[in-house]
Amino acid sequence: MEPPALLRSVVQAALAAVEPGAAIRRALAVRRGALTVGGLLLPLRAFRRVLIVGAGKAAAPMAAAVADLVAERPVEGLVIVPHGYRAPTGPVALREAGHPLPDEAGLRATAELIELLAGANEDDLVIATLSGGASALLVAPAGDLTLEDVGVTTELLLRSGATIAEVNAVRKRLDRIKGGRLVRVAFPALTLGLVISDVVGSPLDVIASGPTVPDRSSWEEAAAVIARYQLTERLPPRVRAWLEAGYAGQLDPPLGPDDPVFTRAKTVIVADNRLAARSAARAAEEAGLASLVLTTFVEGEAREVGRVLAGVLREVDASGLPLRRPCCLVAGGETTVTVRGPGLGGRNQEVALGAALALAGVPRVLFAAIGTDGRDGPTDVAGAWVDGETVARGRAHGQEAAAALAANDSYHFFAAAGGHLRTGPTLTNVNDLYLLFAC
């Protein structure tokens, strides 16, 4: 079943607004030989060369746009993207690696990136292009930890229902480049971080695990996360021993804002969820619908978020609030899924399935949940859309919505009932969008 044309056009407008190359060109400019960004004015002739490094789902087009802007200086570099996200990067080398779990390719590519940065000096300008996915792609295990140790720990955290801030508070403790340490490797070069945010509220120390900014998390916070999700006894032995040594004060503290390396660093956000949400609302208005951005701070358990957002559509249907038909309400954020069943799905499909149950029988409404990166969990879809007949369509195809939700099997429900949204890799990532239509 194809999604309605109106939904497709609104999604396309949102994704176009956060296209990485366009975001870089909005944020950066070169005039009279000087690079301007985030209040900085950097005469390019003052630098021997420009090193472009980075990681994430948007890293390739970001790097290509930066390289084009600073082409008057010698440029080299390396960026790491997920397998299948290959795109032209000009003079910058590109490596593909594992996501959401790190792999050997990521380990090798990160070592190559660190070696490149270690050769930088005060005459070099380092530009780091960072976006969602970089936490898995940039992997340099600390101490005697192994790639397997980090991978097992990451998978435990991702399946636990922990927020991305909680996951990254632990990941930063296990790594040699996260938590501001990319800047330390590149010092005394000047480091400019360019970030496409995939985290609610855009906290710079959480996005990509904050490789270019001071680390606001702590060993104590990591300990609290592990305890909160009852993971202590399930951690690999080396990880457990490493964290215990950190809690006991036997390992280096986080790299804080007073560290002198940050006198040679600045990081700016070039695109985020709010930009995508506003662009979606604008596209709906141009199509003749009243529109409103509800919030870009949606968080919580996916299925419950779906029910809550469906409740907004039910209010529109019942009272015309907060907007009368025809209208489009937009929200953004990122939910979590506590995996308890054996099924297949992703957080957006689970949000949509939760909404479908709450919207059963409601006329002339449509709800969609979509990951702006084009991939929802370990599946080949970006998300799903539902209406008041979705639950009935599923039943007609032998699928019970409530049972699928209990089994975390939203993918197979929508494969049978229809409603999957497919975009392919978008080469960007600014969290998730939730689109609520009443026509």
Side-chain angles (χ1 to χ4, degrees), residues 150-325:
V150 173
V152 169
T153 304
T154 300
E155 186 167 23
L156 286 171
L157 288 163
L158 293 176
R159 293 176 65 87
S160 71
T163 67
I164 192 61
E166 292 172 326
V167 172
N168 287 354
V170 177
R171 286 202 278 204
K172 283 187 280 187
R173 304 281 71 78
L174 309 181
D175 199 89
R176 295 186 290 111
I177 198 167
K178 298 176 173 65
R181 293 179 178 87
L182 184 150
V183 172
R184 186 168 67 181
V185 174
F187 188 80
L190 179 66
T191 298
L192 173 62
L194 304 176
V195 175
I196 291 182
S197 172
D198 71 328
V199 179
V200 173
S202 298
L204 285 171
D205 66 313
V206 176
I207 304 164
S209 294
T212 63
V213 296
D215 187 359
R216 295 193 301 169
S217 64
S218 65
W219 288 103
E220 291 74 18
E221 183 178 344
V225 172
I226 295 300
R228 184 175 304 126
Y229 296 99
Q230 301 177 5
L231 300 178
T232 302
E233 299 306 315
R234 300 169 66 190
L235 292 174
R238 277 185 296 263
V239 171
R240 189 162 61 246
W242 180 260
L243 292 174
E244 288 171 353
Y247 310 152
Q250 298 169 9
L251 301 175
D252 289 342
L255 210 58
D258 295 333
D259 194 289
V261 300
F262 294 114
T263 63
R264 299 280 291 167
K266 183 177 180 64
T267 298
V268 297
I269 292 173
V270 300
D272 60 11
N273 186 262
R274 186 173 291 113
L275 175 61
R278 287 175 175 171
S279 299
R282 190 178 306 116
E285 285 182 354
E286 292 171 354
L289 281 68
S291 68
L292 174 68
V293 176
L294 292 170
T295 180
T296 56
F297 285 82
V298 171
E299 295 181 280
E301 186 71 25
R303 65 187 66 193
E304 301 303 329
V305 167
R307 292 188 179 102
V308 170
L309 292 174
V312 176
L313 269 179
R314 293 178 68 179
E315 187 65 42
V316 171
D317 179 63
S319 70
L321 294 174
L323 293 176
R324 293 189 179 278
R325 298 172 184 266

Side-chain angles (χ1 to χ4, degrees), residues 289-290 292 294 305-331 351-352 354-356 358-369 385-388 434-439:
L289 281 68
L292 174 68
L294 292 170
V305 167
R307 292 188 179 102
V308 170
L309 292 174
V312 176
L313 269 179
R314 293 178 68 179
E315 187 65 42
V316 171
D317 179 63
S319 70
L321 294 174
L323 293 176
R324 293 189 179 278
R325 298 172 184 266
C327 65
C328 175
L329 304 169
V330 182
V351 168
L359 291 173
V362 180
R364 296 182 295 128
V365 295
L366 184 148
F367 174 87
W385 65 273
V386 302
D387 59 20
Y434 313 103
L435 304 173
L436 294 70
F437 294 91
C439 298

Side-chain angles (χ1 to χ4, degrees), residues 303 307 353 357 391 395 399-408 413:
R303 65 187 66 193
R307 292 188 179 102
L353 191 52
L357 284 162
V391 171
R395 187 171 295 123
Q399 289 281 331
E400 289 294 336
L405 198 58
N408 297 115
F413 176 90

Side-chain angles (χ1 to χ4, degrees), residues 103 107 264:
D103 65 3
L107 193 68
R264 299 280 291 167

